[in-house]
Each structure stands twice: as structure tokens, then as C-alpha cells.
Amino acid sequence: MERTIGKFNPQPKHAAGEVTISCESCLVRDQALCGKLNVDELIAINQISRRRRLKAGQRITLDDEAPEYFGIVLSGSVKLTKVLPDGRQQIVGLLFPSDFVGRPFEQQAGCHAEAATDVNLCAFPAGPFERLARDYPAIQHQLFRFALSQLSAAQDWMLLLGRKTAREKVISLLLMFAGRLSETGCAAGKTSNRLEFALPLSRSDIADYLGLTLETVSRQFRVLKSEELIRLHGSRGVTILDLDRLRASFSHPTA
Amino acid sequence: MERTIGKFNPQPKHAAGEVTISCESCLVRDQALCGKLNVDELIAINQISRRRRLKAGQRITLDDEAPEYFGIVLSGSVKLTKVLPDGRQQIVGLLFPSDFVGRPFEQQAGCHAEAATDVNLCAFPAGPFERLARDYPAIQHQLFRFALSQLSAAQDWMLLLGRKTAREKVISLLLMFAGRLSETGCAAGKTSNRLEFALPLSRSDIADYLGLTLETVSRQFRVLKSEELIRLHGSRGVTILDLDRLRASFSHPTA
DNA sequence: TGCATCCCTTGATCAAAATCAACCTGCCGC
DNA sequence: GCGGCAGGTTGATTTTGATCAAGGGATGCA
């Protein structure tokens, strides 16, 4: 389903550290919600978009404040976390390129959002974006569908958190990364069964994502390595040596 | 923000076991998504709605099939579960009166939905409802907002599943029930600090909701009972004797 | 070059919750 | 009233992953 944007010339509006971008050259457009919009809607959304660069660790929103902007991840990953009063924390969502960041029409962000790696964002100021969503039902429709896919992912993760063992959690995480990172072109896959990529999270973040301690995560990586299922390079690099065998040894080591 | 439906006479269409209902007498309308619709939208939605009664345990959808209808819970509770190939299962959502059941525009339901108790549903056939959602942006808007609130609840639950202790999980569950059941009028609260209600789930379902075993759930109930925080009547009846003290003894028993 | 820091790994021990196993209890049909 | 059964409780034991503790390796800076 090919689409052309046609000719349009959004008036460039410049502000400190921000540049007007054009959807024409956008690499994630087809996978993002913009990919399903028509030319008018795309022009409208392009008019209010500003590129934003975030360094790893940079906060986007606090859980109890209304965010000033929403956005679509162009590169890198954004993590969403919830924290208990005593400091225990849980990563409740991880956003990859083409994912939408933020909750239009909600008063509170609901969780802390921060850049897990360096991030490029196609950002939309909250107010104008909400107006656009109201004016163009197609935008609202795409937002709804994205919310449903996020809900579905959250429910899969609940099954993981509530019922899977440490080994199964780590393998599920690797397979999830393999899926998301290869579809967004962030993985260097040799064959269909072998895949190399950089983990977007530290050991401690992985622990907070899986509901484990970082020691347990580290040990499980070591176990998978000793089974020749994965290879580790430095602290962030991973190679899945055999995706099928990794899936097969989900619950128990395979001979 | 008062609303009136005005006069309208939907043509009654009868089918086996189904009756046309009127939104005028609907008890959950104000809290459900219908509460935010205008007269035209309400009439349109009323035209396609059929009341449906489900007995406890009755299946609504399987996770890999497209549901034939969506609905709004009028009474009772609906549980959403995910299952691992070996049978381990996790309840990933619980729907109360005024909540919307189903995922419009998705090909698969994503999880098993079944009546946890006897349920009354205001049901909408899938196709016509999706057409309505496309025709009336306000309906889509309400669906979107409901999806966001579900997402938020799911994320709170992820924090519970990943980071809370058994005691904290059980207390969180009781407080969640207290909130949802009292706002939907299903609890007999004596004072603001004391609340009595029937658990909508069996011990084993509670275990599947909290990511625990049923033995652990049973033991935690017993502990809370011995601390005089709750009282148990039969297997489903609970009285929270002091909501504040229950909240305060979240992590550790209070003297 | 050396020191400090951050992140990760590894080992020893501990504890929370799972598992295994009876045993109640209330409810149903007969 | 009696047997059977589902759901719930209780106890003994085991296990998984947490906790406590120490050490390693990369990176940055003086």
C-alpha cells in the first residue's frame, strides 16, 4: 500500500534546539501511526512536530504531572517505570522506534518516562496535538489502536511477571528484543536464526523489567551462555546463536 | 454536567434470549462510556444493543478468535486470563460494572474472557459496533480513554506482580476491590472506614490474579484476619474492619 | 599512571513462597 | 442421613530467587 505525501511546504518555525522536520524522509513513518494517515492529516501533524534529542537517562515525564509534549520514537528506546514509596521499582513499558510516547487527554502521565538510550523523538506539543486528535478522527483511531497494542503487550508481560521462572523471563526478554529490534532495523542479523544486537537496558534495568534482582539476571545470562544459546560481548552486546533452539529451551536446557 | 436522553423510540428487535433495552433506565450509564455521549450517539448505540446474561464461568471469547460481540458490564465481573502452554495461568484484567469488554478493530481477542460471577452485559454485535465507532468520533474517543485507563491499571498491576510481597499483594487486592465495588454500589459499607463485600473471585482465581499459589493467598487472608484487619464470612465474604489501618499495615503488621 | 567510579559477575547464605500432602467444611444429589 | 466433591485451610518440606558480600573490568579523570 504505497503512499505519497505529495508536495507541501510546512512553514519552518524554529526554536532553540528544535528544527522543523519533514515526514517525507521519516524512516519510521510506515510503521508508526502516521503511516496510516492521509496527506491532509500528515501535513497537519507535520506542522506541529519538532525533532527532539534526548540523552540516555533524560527524564521525559514524571508520573504525576501532565507532559508538555507527546511524541513518536525515531531511534533509541524509552522506558516507563512505576516506583513504590520505598524505592522498589518496576519497568512497565519499553518503547521502540515507531512507538507513540504519552497519553493524550489524561491529566497525569501515570508513570515516569525516561530515555533508556539516546533517543530521537518526533515531538508534538500536548495541546495542539490533542486538538488535532479531536479534529481528525483518523488520528484518534490510530491512537486507539496503538493503545490496544500497548495493552496487549502489558498483559503478556503480566503473564511473564506473575507466572514465569527467572530462566523463562530472561529468554522471553531476549526473544522480545529480537523481535522488536530486528523489525526496527536495530539488529545485525546474520541469518534468520542468528541475531546480534545491543541490549537497550542495563542489567539493573533488565531486572526491574523482569521483576528480578540484577544478580539473578546476570546469573541467567551466564547460564544461557554456558549452554551456547547466546554469546555476550561487553555488557550490552548479545548474539542469539540459534533463535529456534532458544525458543525450544524456554523452560529447560536442551541437550 | 446533567444530560437528558430526550424522547426516542428505538424499534424493538427481538431474538432468542435477547431483549432490546433502553439506556434511560441504565444504572451504569453515567459511569460507562455512554455517559459522555450525546443523544444521537446514545440512540445509535441503543439501537444495536442487546442485553446478555452470562452464568459464572461462561466463556465470552477465546484469546485467538475474533469476538462476535463487545459489551458493557451491567452487573457482575468479567475476568481476562492468559495461559502458558503448560497450563500456568494469569488473570490479566478484571472488569466491573460500567467497564467495556472487548477490543474493537483487533482481529484477536488477545486473552480469554469469561464471567467470574453471574454477569449482565449490554452487548453490541462486533461489526455494527465498529461501524458506529467509525461514524461517531465521540464513541471512538471514549473507547480510547477507556483503553488508556485499562493500560494504566495494567501497569499498576505489573508493579504489584513484579515487586510486591505476598502480604502487599493481598492487601492491594482488597483495597482495589474496596474501591471498585463501593463505587459500583456492590459493597455494603457501614462507615467510610469499614466495608463489607463478596469477593468476585475464588481463592484460586485470586492466586492467578496475584501471581501466587492459592495456599499462599489463603495463609495471607488468615494472617490479616488474625491481625483483626479483616473478617471472613464463608469463602467469599470479607469485611475490611478499618480501611486506614489496612493501608497503614501494607508492608508490616501494625501493633 | 594511578585512582575512583560504575556496572557487572561470582559466591555463600537466607528466606519467602512453592510444593507436596492431609484434612476440613459446606453443599449437592440421592 | 450419607457419600462425594469442590473449594478452602493447615502443616511439613523444598526450592527458587533474594540478600549479603566480595571482587573484576572498563572508563574517565587527575
Side-chain angles (χ1 to χ4, degrees):
Chain A
M1 209 206 280
E2 273 295 296
R3 278 159 210 285
T4 53
I5 303 187
K7 287 267 169 273
F8 65 97
N9 295 299
Q11 300 85 324
K13 298 176 200 157
H14 292 282
E18 299 179 338
V19 227
T20 300
I21 60 155
S22 158
C23 298
E24 281 181 310
S25 58
C26 178
L27 294 170
V28 307
R29 181 160 59 91
D30 287 339
Q31 296 152 80
L33 57 81
C34 330
K36 303 279 174 45
L37 302 179
N38 68 27
V39 181
D40 287 346
E41 293 149 357
L42 209 49
I43 291 175
I45 221 171
N46 182 74
Q47 298 262 349
I48 63 165
S49 73
R50 296 286 177 278
R51 185 167 295 222
R52 250 194 154 87
R53 278 165 209 285
L54 304 169
K55 276 169 287 183
Q58 201 173 333
R59 175 72 38 89
I60 297 174
T61 43
L62 281 142
D63 68 350
D64 55 353
E65 67 184 16
E68 52 187 274
Y69 60 93
F70 308 120
I72 288 170
V73 179
L74 299 175
S75 71
S77 353
V78 171
K79 62 178 181 184
L80 308 177
T81 66
K82 293 248 185 194
V83 185
L84 245 22
D86 66 1
R88 281 174 288 174
Q89 62 172 50
Q90 175 69 41
I91 294 184
V92 297
L94 198 56
L95 302 174
F96 292 101
S98 83
D99 286 342
F100 186 86
V101 185
R103 303 186 177 173
F105 312 116
E106 298 293 303
Q107 295 314 305
Q108 302 199 329
C111 39
H112 302 274
E114 85 176 56
T117 61
D118 287 352
V119 166
N120 268 296
L121 214 56
C122 178
F124 316 106
F129 183 80
E130 288 178 359
R131 247 166 277 136
L132 230 53
R134 285 195 188 275
D135 292 346
Y136 294 93
I139 295 178
Q140 179 111 248
H141 181 71
Q142 290 310 131
L143 284 173
F144 175 58
R145 302 213 53 180
F146 180 73
L148 285 187
S149 78
Q150 286 292 104
L151 183 58
S152 185
Q155 293 179 338
D156 286 338
W157 218 252
M158 288 167 73
L159 176 61
L160 175 145
L161 290 170
R163 292 302 182 204
K164 293 185 185 175
T165 64
R167 178 191 179 87
E168 292 168 341
K169 285 178 175 180
V170 170
I171 292 180
S172 297
L173 182 88
L174 289 171
L175 292 173
M176 187 275 279
F177 281 160
R180 287 306 318 260
L181 293 173
S182 65
E183 91 191 7
T184 55
C186 301
K190 304 284 156 69
T191 73
S192 66
N193 232 6
R194 185 193 172 100
L195 200 67
E196 186 172 342
F197 56 86
L199 293 167
L201 298 177
S202 69
R203 292 287 182 276
S204 139
D205 278 344
I206 291 175
D208 284 341
Y209 199 16
L210 298 178
L212 298 170
T213 57
L214 77 177
E215 293 97 327
T216 299
V217 171
S218 181
R219 277 186 255 263
Q220 290 299 329
F221 272 121
R222 249 34 241 318
V223 170
L224 297 181
K225 183 182 168 171
S226 77
E227 290 173 32
E228 303 265 290
L229 288 165
I230 60 170
R231 202 160 283 167
L232 299 167
H233 332 90
S235 66
R236 295 294 184 105
V238 191
T239 307
I240 297 178
L241 294 169
D242 188 333
L243 277 164
D244 291 337
R245 202 156 69 81
L246 186 62
R247 267 187 281 267
S249 57
F250 181 64
S251 294
H252 303 290
T254 51
Chain B
M1 209 205 280
E2 273 293 297
R3 279 159 210 284
T4 54
I5 303 187
K7 286 268 170 269
F8 65 97
N9 296 298
Q11 299 85 327
K13 297 176 200 159
H14 294 282
E18 298 179 339
V19 228
T20 300
I21 61 155
S22 159
C23 298
E24 281 181 309
S25 58
C26 178
L27 294 168
V28 307
R29 180 162 57 91
D30 288 338
Q31 296 151 81
L33 56 82
C34 331
K36 303 278 174 47
L37 302 179
N38 68 27
V39 182
D40 287 346
E41 293 150 355
L42 209 49
I43 290 175
I45 222 172
N46 182 73
Q47 298 262 350
I48 63 164
S49 74
R50 296 286 177 279
R51 186 169 294 223
R52 251 195 154 87
R53 279 166 209 284
L54 304 170
K55 276 169 288 183
Q58 201 174 332
R59 176 72 39 89
I60 298 175
T61 44
L62 282 141
D63 68 351
D64 55 353
E65 67 185 18
E68 51 187 274
Y69 60 92
F70 308 120
I72 288 169
V73 180
L74 299 175
S75 70
S77 354
V78 171
K79 63 178 181 182
L80 309 177
T81 66
K82 293 249 184 194
V83 185
L84 246 21
D86 65 1
R88 280 174 287 174
Q89 62 173 51
Q90 175 70 41
I91 294 184
V92 297
L94 199 55
L95 302 174
F96 292 101
S98 84
D99 285 343
F100 185 87
V101 186
R103 302 184 179 175
F105 311 116
E106 298 293 302
Q107 293 315 303
Q108 302 200 329
C111 39
H112 302 274
E114 84 176 57
T117 61
D118 287 352
V119 166
N120 267 296
L121 213 57
C122 178
F124 315 107
F129 183 81
E130 289 178 358
R131 246 165 278 136
L132 231 52
R134 286 195 188 274
D135 292 346
Y136 295 92
I139 294 178
Q140 179 114 247
H141 181 70
Q142 290 311 130
L143 285 174
F144 175 59
R145 303 213 53 180
F146 181 72
L148 286 187
S149 79
Q150 285 293 103
L151 184 57
S152 184
Q155 293 180 338
D156 286 339
W157 218 253
M158 288 168 73
L159 177 61
L160 175 144
L161 291 170
R163 292 301 183 204
K164 293 185 185 175
T165 64
R167 178 191 179 89
E168 292 168 341
K169 285 178 176 181
V170 169
I171 292 180
S172 298
L173 182 87
L174 289 171
L175 293 172
M176 187 275 278
F177 282 160
R180 284 309 313 263
L181 293 173
S182 65
E183 91 191 7
T184 56
C186 301
K190 305 283 157 70
T191 72
S192 66
N193 233 5
R194 185 191 171 100
L195 199 66
E196 187 172 340
F197 55 88
L199 294 167
L201 298 177
S202 68
R203 293 287 183 278
S204 138
D205 277 344
I206 291 175
D208 285 342
Y209 200 14
L210 298 177
L212 298 171
T213 58
L214 78 178
E215 292 97 328
T216 300
V217 171
S218 180
R219 278 185 255 265
Q220 290 300 328
F221 271 121
R222 249 32 240 320
V223 171
L224 297 181
K225 183 183 168 170
S226 77
E227 291 173 32
E228 304 265 292
L229 287 164
I230 61 170
R231 201 160 285 167
L232 300 167
H233 332 89
S235 66
R236 295 295 184 102
V238 190
T239 307
I240 296 178
L241 294 170
D242 187 333
L243 278 163
D244 290 336
R245 202 155 70 81
L246 186 61
R247 267 187 281 268
S249 56
F250 181 64
S251 294
H252 304 291
T254 51

